[in-house]
């Protein structure tokens, strides 16, 4: 019997030392030490042996069992360590790689994106960007811009008036970015090339008017700045926004602070300025006109310069005999509506993600 025990032990030891996984070891443990295995079976039979034999066989079997258990345990620990090592090596992380970008990332509102795009175009043409106050004095919003005392835009139905400190100047929410023309000239001597983006306010509310909207003012003052320079500048702008084939057209208009004043149209990018589409249908975008109205502009009225006091900051100042300039004001909402085919101005301000996510 003892011989058989040793035989079993040697065989099991060989198998255990060759086992190469935790599962294989567990399987060996069951095979050699499990309830139905031969060695434990023999241990159970020891009690029935003759007294002489009992001690020797019992000892040998117990020793064999213990040796195998210890060996399995040691091998399990060793293999677990090796398996852990291997799995760590497999999922190795390179901590010097850049982090994973977030899955959902916000985006710029279409109006912000459009404003920045337009700013970039004018920066490229040599303009600098300025900003100014949204609560403005009547002086800058109307008086200095040559509006007669009875000009209808001053009416309370057309302008939000703001109560200021008692005895102070009359205040409004600026109705356009043009008041910054005078502020910019007060702050800097000519030559001056600036664009002024910002919010403006008017008491209107329907599909094409919201009480608050955005404009970008442009002002260029230098020697001999003519309407041709204005047209060239706006042609560059129109092509950058609506495509290289675009053309611009100036139509006579009136603004109190420009002379002459014009409304500027861009040839329709939907029908290529034809007014009708390939199937003969009338172009819905320009309504068959072939032109889209995009902004108001003109040569700065000399009267405006007379409202710009000469100070240390802007010396030698703005002498209408020596300098000329042009200005324009465009609506950011309108440009983005045309460019993206947005049908209703109010969509910009409703914060509906189904709308916002399209840009
Ligand atoms: N301020 C005018 C408006 O809001 C636009 C404009 C700006 C016209 C500059 C001429 C020159 O309608």
């Amino acid at each position: 019997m003892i011989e058989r025990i040793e035989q079993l032990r040697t065989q099991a030891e060989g198998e255990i030392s060759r086992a190469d996984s935790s599962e294989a070891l567990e399987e060996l443990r069951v095979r050699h030490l499990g309830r139905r295995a031969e060695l434990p079976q023999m241990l159970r039979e020891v009690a029935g042996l003759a007294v002489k034999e009992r001690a020797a066989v019992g000892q040998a079997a117990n020793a064999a069992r213990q040796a195998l258990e210890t060996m399995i345990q040691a091998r399990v620990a060793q293999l677990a360590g090796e398996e852990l090592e291997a799995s760590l090596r497999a999922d190795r992380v390179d901590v010097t790689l850049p982090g994973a970008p977030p899955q959902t990332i916000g985006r710029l509102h279409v109006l912000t994106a459009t404003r920045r795009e337009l700013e970039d175009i004018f920066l490229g043409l040599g303009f600098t960007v300025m900003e100014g106050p949204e609560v403005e004095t009547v002086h800058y919003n109307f008086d200095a811009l040559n509006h007669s005392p009875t000009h209808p835009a001053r009416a309370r139905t057309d302008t939000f008036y703001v109560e200021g400190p008692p005895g102070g100047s009359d205040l409004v929410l600026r109705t356009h970015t043009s008041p910054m023309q005078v502020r910019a000239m007060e702050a800097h001597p000519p030559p001056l090339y600036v664009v002024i983006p910002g919010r403006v306010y008017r008491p209107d509310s329907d599909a094409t008017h919201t009480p608050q909207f955005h404009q970008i003012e442009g002002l260029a003052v230098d020697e001999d700045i003519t309407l041709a320079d204005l047209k060239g500048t706006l042609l560059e702008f129109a092509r950058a926004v609506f495509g290289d084939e675009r053309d611009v057209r100036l139509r006579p208009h009136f603004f109190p602070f420009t002379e002459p004043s014009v409304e500027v149209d861009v040839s329709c990018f939907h029908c290529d300025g034809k007014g009708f589409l390939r199937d003969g249908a009338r172009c819905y975008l320009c309504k068959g006109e072939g032109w889209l109205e995009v902004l108001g502009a003109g040569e700065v009225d000399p009267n405006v310069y007379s409202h710009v006091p000469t100070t240390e900051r802007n010396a030698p100042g703005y002498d209408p005999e020596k300098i000329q300039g042009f200005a324009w004001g465009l609506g950011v909402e309108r440009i983005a509506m045309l460019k993206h085919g947005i049908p209703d101005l109010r969509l910009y301000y409703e914060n509906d993600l189904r709308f916002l996510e399209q840009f």
Side-chain angles (χ1 to χ4, degrees), residues 97-101:
L97 285 175

Side-chain angles (χ1 to χ4, degrees), residues 247-291:
D247 212 344
V248 293
R249 155 178 105 168
L250 309 184
R251 276 181 295 112
H253 196 68
F254 174 79
F255 295 105
F257 41 95
T258 45
E259 184 60 36
S261 301
V262 292
E263 280 200 310
V264 180
D265 297 338
V266 174
S267 58
C268 181
F269 57 88
H270 191 63
C271 62
D272 236 350
K274 294 195 200 67
F276 53 88
L277 304 177
R278 243 187 273 167
D279 62 5
R282 190 178 80 139
C283 175
Y284 78 90
L285 192 63
C286 63
K287 310 213 162 53
E289 290 291 314
W291 295 93

Side-chain angles (χ1 to χ4, degrees), residues 175-176 178 181 202 215 217 255 257-258 296-298 327-329:
T175 56
H176 49 178
S178 301
Q181 290 184 25
R202 289 179 202 177
Q215 289 189 332
E217 192 81 8
F255 295 105
F257 41 95
T258 45
W328 77 80

Side-chain angles (χ1 to χ4, degrees), residues 19 28 35 54 80 98 144 207 219 251 287 296 311 332 337:
L28 287 174
R35 273 203 302 135
R54 209 188 281 169
L219 175 67
R251 276 181 295 112
K287 310 213 162 53
T311 65
V332 180
M337 275 176 112

Side-chain angles (χ1 to χ4, degrees), residues 212-244:
Q212 180 237 85
F213 59 104
H214 299 79
Q215 289 189 332
I216 298 182
E217 192 81 8
L219 175 67
V221 188
D222 207 335
E223 288 168 17
D224 302 326
I225 294 275
T226 70
L227 214 55
D229 299 307
L230 169 67
K231 190 171 182 185
T233 303
L234 294 178
L235 182 61
E236 275 304 308
F237 148 80
R239 291 185 174 171
V241 178
F242 297 111
D244 287 342

Side-chain angles (χ1 to χ4, degrees), residues 7 39 94 103 124 130 152 158 165 188 213-214 246 251 266 280 286 296 305 353 356:
Q7 201 182 356
L39 191 63
D94 181 348
Q103 291 300 300
M130 275 181 86
D158 284 359
H188 302 281
F213 59 104
H214 299 79
R246 300 289 76 79
R251 276 181 295 112
V266 174
C286 63
Y305 299 123
L353 287 178
L356 297 176

